[in-house]
């Protein structure tokens, strides 16, 4: 129970970074910030500074971000998506196009987390906002873009109906990410989650509520060159 | 605990029919069959034979129906909707048009229960089948009919997304009835129910799962002359 | 990822306002504030300033309201219902009467949101408070008013029993809005929601928990001239 | 694992009857039949034949009942409530009046289980059927009877709203027993259970879904002389 | 929408006090504070100042209490139970003994709310703390007291097992009030609620989670003279 | 309400086949059998006989299958997966390899539904059984095959842990299909569903419980040439 | 898709038996019968005939049992616990005593599954029935036996309160297995499961609902010599 | 309602410490801090100062800790696990080895609570961090340590899959403690809880969500000398 003596030992007291992951899986590890202290994140940031591959820090609150930026002041930081990336420059885009839709303005943080993740994993991306099913003309007016996608990511809360509609319009798989946006019986995203799992059009891949990172990662794998 | 002596007393041992309801509310009472024995339904059928207003028997299984038809052989009986009506001839249609949509073939029994209920409460009705959101062109091709409706009833299971889409297209209120159709996480209609409660387009009135009778009754009230 | 250059472009980065909605559906769009930043709401407020139709801002917290009022200082603002309306003067009332009941004092914010919405969509409205079923004489004493309504909106938490009782007393449809008022097993409105979906009297249209806006909108559609 | 040699040993292999319970608690034990084999129930019936106090067998299906009646052919058997009692003659009625209400015909089996239980535990009882809140006049017309009760038992499914209404009308405590009657979102009695737990009128004691036995037992304890 | 002109009108804008309730039901109304503003509670406090019967204010937070005490400085105030009573002196105790058990220290606020409610409704009461089933000797050592009770109230969180044990030991009915005390899968009292509804000993009356007021009210009715 | 006069009209009374779907989405429509009568399925089978593209009939029970085979006696029929395909010969395999894993023997019907669907949509497939995480060596011994897959489908019930493990081992996306296999708290697949949505390794695409068809369709889209 | 040519290949088409498990974990594999066909179980039974270690077949219905006994006619078969064991003679008992309690008669099948599993994994066992908390004297009278146990297994449905009480009385760990016994809000064992997870006495290890096999296995591991 | 006169009486007003528990069960009582005031905890701390056995204070927030340390300044305090122990020196370690695994860094507080509890109850312990199933090599590299354990405690959130994997690798029982770590559909630990209850490898003992204390206590009992 004495204090560890070196930075490396201090880091190993709470984390065992998986630098081999890029080699093994082809995609780098991301650091999920909630439940970690700013001090722990600062140590992790220092440890990845010289890694050759991209490191993403997801769901970083203000204190998390400050601790990371203290070690990596040049890191990319998107405050809407609560995401940081190091190094800041994404890899050159290869593979198929990832089109990300946000059903409403409130779904934008999750949608951006998905888009940025796919971008930092090396895919070309497009982001389209405010295309909810209450105004079908909005989504129909984007049909050309949608049909060019290798994969479409749809972030939607409330009724979560957009993935069903989109999947009925395109040949590409749809990654559906429910968001916790909505009134009472939205139950923090449960309603949208169930809608998406029950999409009447096949081809809908569901990820966890508000999990923009997971959606973007899955999309990048699907659209791999 | 001795047996009741007369048909009327026998009936009163388990039911207290509300013949005054038509006068009070303007709509007749319906008999919900589940949980009643065929004998009880036979007694009720006999008791309503000479009533001036329509009586509906809902969710009647085969034994229920046989017992009712034994007393009222001329009654209308729709075996898909499990509904009987007495007298068989619906009242003359007045008020606004009630358009009923079934998202898929499996939603048809519930949709028909809604349509027949509205019809027997005196409204003009139309029924349209297989217009799920996985093929948007199907619903868009019915836009003319939808825009003539005073109220639209939508029966849908699985993702329950159709009411959101329809409500975004018409000025009329939409009565949404979730059905228990679907795979595992449909949870016997819970998924569709939550979708409809969270419809991102306003103007969606939700009723209980598989409650075609309630949907038709509500629609008839909305479309009252 | 550079900043957009114009107000319009800035707005389009997160929202695609549906000015056509009034023409298409006959009712204007409302802006749901949660999940939007005050800055975004300020931009939206500026964009609707010269629109001919009413715009409602719902669920506006203090920061939201301040940002909207900075652009539209003459807007109507009800702090109990967290609702703003622009322009402040509602349209002339047409159509049937919308009577709104609040079961208890704690249900008043939701009831007022419903009433104000119906009012700004052009209907005559009445609001009655504290008519819970624990004191039946209270609701029975309002029977005259209730029977004049084209539609009754009932906001109730806890047991959510009031819509069942009201629907048994009137010919008009009842829009039931469960509120998140109550002790533990109210489960933030779930108990009232289920009660209303299972109302033993037909004619109850359920909307989402605490969704006064949706209830008022639906009522306005039902009571359309 | 060899077979037990005597009836008593055979009985003790699966049950340890609590004959002392009447002395200790003042009320005899009941035998809950589900999960027991007809053979086991036959052995139990034989074992209680000469007990001085009443034994109730609850939730007995046809096979259960046949096995019990083979040992105790004079036992009382109500097939609607699936209840048997031995000896058949209930004790003389003492204590306060127990009034049992069934909201609808489908709630009658549970209501009768409650009434019969209270009766066999020695209370005077009354049973009233079909007094749901959709027709308030029905319950109001029984106000005299209700106000004479020492305790009122209310069995109701669907919205479960009747206990709230009754509790607002009488000084006596109300024992509310939700039934599994209703459409989809009744969730086999869960909706009625939550309604009753959230009754806006105090004085409502809730027991388990369909638990007529428990309701009758509790009522008998409340109305004890 | 203009401001009401008199205190009475101001009060009627949000509440319709039921002074007749004492006459009708035999027990006075209680004011449930959550969802009401301090201003509203101040107006209610002023309105009940000269009422002859007791008024209880339940679940009063600090601001609520201050507003009430500003109008009724002599009122009784228990800060652990968040309850105020006016007038401060409880009525003379009549009827049977109400014994209240708190399973653990954390259940004490709810238990006290129950005890104080029964006390102000006119019953003799006793409160016993820290008698959880993990140390059975604690509850067994109180058997004498328990057997003198006309009704026992048990407040318990976590496993909620105490009512089952107590009901097996006494002839009196047990009012079980689950509390929201416990680790994760206690689900804010849901676990204890279900335990109590499934008590294997009959005679357990369940009220809502943390509803000490309801438990005390019900107990007072059961123990009425 | 008169009977339709022609086969086509009879079909249109309950279904509106989407033959255009192959052209629009690139994948043919499947017929979901539950909720359809054998007669309806016979009519659909006759209607697709001369279509150029593959038609799948999913979740066909014995009566469904008999009615389909009466019209299409040469159709492929797998009784374990409850799936029929017409024409029986799958298209030539193109695109990436789809590897399907069944965690246990009981997951095999769902896994086969996935494999057959992918096969009939034109992909090369492999099926591996009984590779649950309780014996890690089983899955590790298949690492070579897994690493050749363009996409891995994993069908698992009970704890649903296999997708997490597989996703940590391969670069390809994993389509996870929870099955309803397991004891009580498996809750008919809900436990496995939640596990998969929370997979700690990114790259897991979840579909509905027991939805082998959806899993196979999604996999075919991901592995498209 | 052609039929496999040999018994071994036929077996490998749906199962990959883990004969190494005994060596690796020290306990043999069990065959979970649900979801397997009698034919598959017959093949498995044939394959284990000459294995040196014990094989358990759990949750075997009548058809399963017949198929297994056709291959292994000397196998042990307990029809109450739906369990078969091969070879029939359990290993010599070593390690600590496993005491199994069944709260009620209906919990006996699960309790026996636990006891038999522990017995066939080589532990000395005792089984005690009908010791529910509604009659505390029953469990207290077994205190001597309980205090000799190295581990106590408790099978209980309904309120699931027995493990809390037992854990408060003994030093040994308690393995709690909830059963699906009970009325409505028992929710097929969910209530008992939550009770046990929230046991106010530490030392309670919970397994899945009705999972007697798992309880017995865990107990055998805890009581290992 | 007058103030108690002595420290002992003050303590007894809210708690009844069970000093006999060590003698009866062999393990001392722990004080669960939530729901207790700092004043109450200070009184308890004073009361245990001279007890011979260890007292643990669990889930102590800052105010709790300060009040305890004011009375017992030499007490051990781990701020990550929110645990205090008095006296600070743990007893000499006896019995089998308890190995505690934390699946991720965010699970560390719960894992440490488990480890410290086992340590203060007298067992030798080891703690290993960041061994989630997304990187199987991490857990496989610890196989030697795991196979020396008498019992393994696994703390895991998100998918909660680690206990299944570990239980498949070792002969020792696994105590699985789900943590509330994870995205939306983790539902505050419910997902991990269900996973663990459904572990496909037998030998997994589940405790409540985030209940590190319970896990450590159970492990200490299993590993008793």
């Amino acid at each position: 129970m004495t204090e560890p003596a070196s930075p490396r030992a201090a880091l190993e007291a709470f984390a065992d970074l998986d630098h081999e992951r890029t080699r093994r899986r082809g995609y780098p590890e991301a650091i999920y910030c909630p439940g970690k202290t700013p001090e722990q994140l600062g140590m992790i940031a220092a440890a990845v500074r010289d890694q050759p591959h991209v490191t993403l820090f997801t769901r970083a609150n203000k204190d998390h971000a400050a601790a990371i930026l203290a070690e990596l002041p040049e890191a990319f930081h998107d405050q809407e998506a609560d995401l940081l990336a190091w190094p800041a420059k994404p890899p050159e885009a290869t593979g198929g196009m990832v089109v990300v839709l946000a059903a409403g303005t409130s779904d934008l943080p999750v949608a951006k987390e998905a888009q940025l993740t796919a971008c930092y994993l090396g895919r070309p991306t497009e982001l389209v906002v405010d295309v909810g099913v209450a105004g079908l003309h909005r989504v129909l007016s984007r049909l050309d873009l949608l049909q060019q996608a290798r994969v479409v990511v749809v972030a939607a809360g409330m009724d979560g109906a957009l993935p069903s509609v989109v999947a009925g319009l395109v040949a590409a798989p749809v990654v559906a990410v429910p968001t916790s946006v909505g009134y009472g019986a939205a139950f923090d995203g449960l309603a949208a989650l169930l809608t998406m799992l029950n999409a009447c059009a096949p081809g809908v891949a569901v990820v966890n509520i508000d999990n923009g990172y997971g959606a973007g990662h899955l999309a990048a794998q699907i659209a791999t060159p």
Side-chain angles (χ1 to χ4, degrees), chain A:
Chain A
M1 302 263 160
T2 55
E3 280 303 295
S6 72
R8 181 172 179 151
L11 179 63
E12 286 175 352
F14 65 87
D16 179 6
L17 297 183
D18 190 4
H19 296 313
E20 291 300 284
R21 191 163 171 275
T22 304
R23 191 182 52 73
R24 196 175 71 247
R25 291 201 59 192
Y27 299 95
E29 193 176 32
I31 309 300
Y32 176 65
C33 297
K36 297 194 176 69
T37 62
E39 293 67 35
Q40 291 174 334
L41 287 166
M43 280 190 268
I44 293 171
V48 304
R49 190 181 290 121
D50 300 326
Q51 287 294 323
H53 54 72
V54 166
T55 299
L56 295 177
F57 296 83
T58 65
R59 302 284 179 99
N61 64 24
K62 285 191 179 183
D63 293 345
H64 293 147
I68 295 162
L69 290 169
E71 292 290 338
L72 304 169
E74 312 278 294
F76 171 86
H77 183 203
D78 185 290
Q79 300 191 42
E80 200 168 11
D82 289 333
L83 181 139
L84 296 98
W86 172 258
K89 188 173 169 348
E92 197 175 349
T94 62
M97 164 85 78
V98 176
V99 174
V100 180
L101 305 185
T105 303
S106 309
D107 304 312
L108 200 46
V110 173
K112 284 189 84 171
E113 189 187 20
Q115 181 209 10
L116 289 167
T117 298
C119 172
Y120 275 96
L121 297 186
R123 300 291 162 269
T125 66
E126 289 282 342
L127 177 64
V128 182
V129 299
D130 220 355
V131 287
V133 301
L136 267 190
H137 59 290
R138 298 183 196 174
V139 63
L140 294 176
S141 73
R142 306 295 184 141
L143 206 49
D144 273 3
L145 177 64
L146 290 172
Q147 289 177 340
Q148 292 167 39
R150 176 65 177 87
V151 57
V152 182
V153 176
V154 180
M158 295 184 174
D159 57 19
L162 187 55
S164 293
V165 168
V166 171
L169 295 170
V170 299
V174 171
V175 175
V177 50
T179 72
S180 54
V181 171
Y183 281 84
F187 293 127
D188 297 321
L190 176 61
L193 172 65
L194 292 180
T195 309
M196 292 167 178
L197 287 167
N198 287 285
C200 54
V204 176
V206 184
V207 299
N208 201 345
I209 297 165
D210 289 336
N211 189 359
Y213 165 70
H217 194 288
L218 179 60
Q221 289 171 284
I222 293 173
T224 193

